[in-house]
Amino acid sequence: MLFRHFILALLSSLLLSGCNDHGDLTGTLDAGTFTVNTPEGWQLIREAGYDSNVGRIVGPLGTIHFDQGVFSPGLDNISANEHTISFKRITIHDRPAILHKERTVGNDVYGKVRLTAYIDEGEGMRRNRLYVYDPSPWAETLIIEIMKTHRFK
């Protein structure tokens, strides 16, 4: 068992050392109504959705989904519950936001961990939800950094 943990730690460090500097958020992805900064090489994929702006931001350490529009939940509708792992009110570029990490309960994602940044410009029309499922411990820090670069246009 100890050997397995050693191999996992070794592989993780090799993976991280073989990748670009993940703290260097020099790439800017423009989703039309907002931007985020990512490491170089990440891609924006737009999707058709019922809401105004839906898609994914895809990179080697994860996929950040986004769902922006009037149907995205407002901050008043977000609260800690029995599935909450962590809940924190923050600001992202002077906009109120919530970072919420929770265990999911839906049929297609049951038991997965979802890390979500809810961002609200305050007028009720420009709300965005950025979220990722089952982030690895080393990817979670980078994903939060990316989420914190969100800027409404």
Side-chain angles (χ1 to χ4, degrees):
M1 184 69 155
L2 182 60
F3 180 71
R4 195 178 312 163
H5 289 291
F6 172 76
I7 294 297
L8 182 60
L10 179 64
L11 289 174
S12 297
S13 66
L14 287 173
L15 174 67
L16 289 176
S17 67
C19 296
N20 294 334
D21 179 12
H22 295 298
D24 189 14
L25 303 179
T26 58
T28 299
L29 297 178
D30 187 336
T33 56
F34 71 93
T35 62
V36 291
N37 296 339
T38 66
E40 292 295 330
W42 285 57
Q43 298 178 338
L44 174 73
I45 300 170
R46 293 182 183 270
E47 297 177 349
Y50 188 72
D51 210 356
S52 61
N53 194 7
V54 180
R56 297 174 285 148
I57 301 162
V58 180
L61 294 181
T63 298
I64 302 170
H65 304 265
F66 63 88
D67 182 4
Q68 181 191 1
V70 296
F71 298 112
S72 293
L75 299 184
D76 293 342
N77 297 321
I78 309 302
S79 60
N81 58 48
E82 67 273 13
H83 305 290
T84 297
I85 298 167
S86 64
F87 183 91
K88 187 174 182 181
R89 291 186 182 277
I90 62 171
T91 57
I92 297 178
H93 293 285
D94 297 324
R95 304 290 183 223
I98 294 174
L99 279 177
H100 190 200
K101 187 175 181 182
E102 63 185 326
R103 276 227 185 266
T104 59
V105 293
N107 290 337
D108 57 338
V109 293
Y110 185 79
K112 289 186 177 184
V113 171
R114 179 175 55 217
L115 173 64
T116 307
Y118 297 93
I119 308 158
D120 193 338
E121 192 174 45
E123 63 188 38
M125 296 294 291
R126 291 170 45 104
R127 300 175 183 151
N128 204 353
R129 180 173 72 120
L130 306 170
Y131 59 99
V132 61
Y133 289 104
D134 286 334
S136 66
W138 60 86
E140 184 173 320
T141 301
L142 172 66
I143 288 168
I144 291 172
E145 285 180 39
I146 292 170
M147 290 173 169
K148 286 182 174 181
T149 68
H150 176 282
R151 285 186 188 268
F152 285 111
K153 291 172 63 177

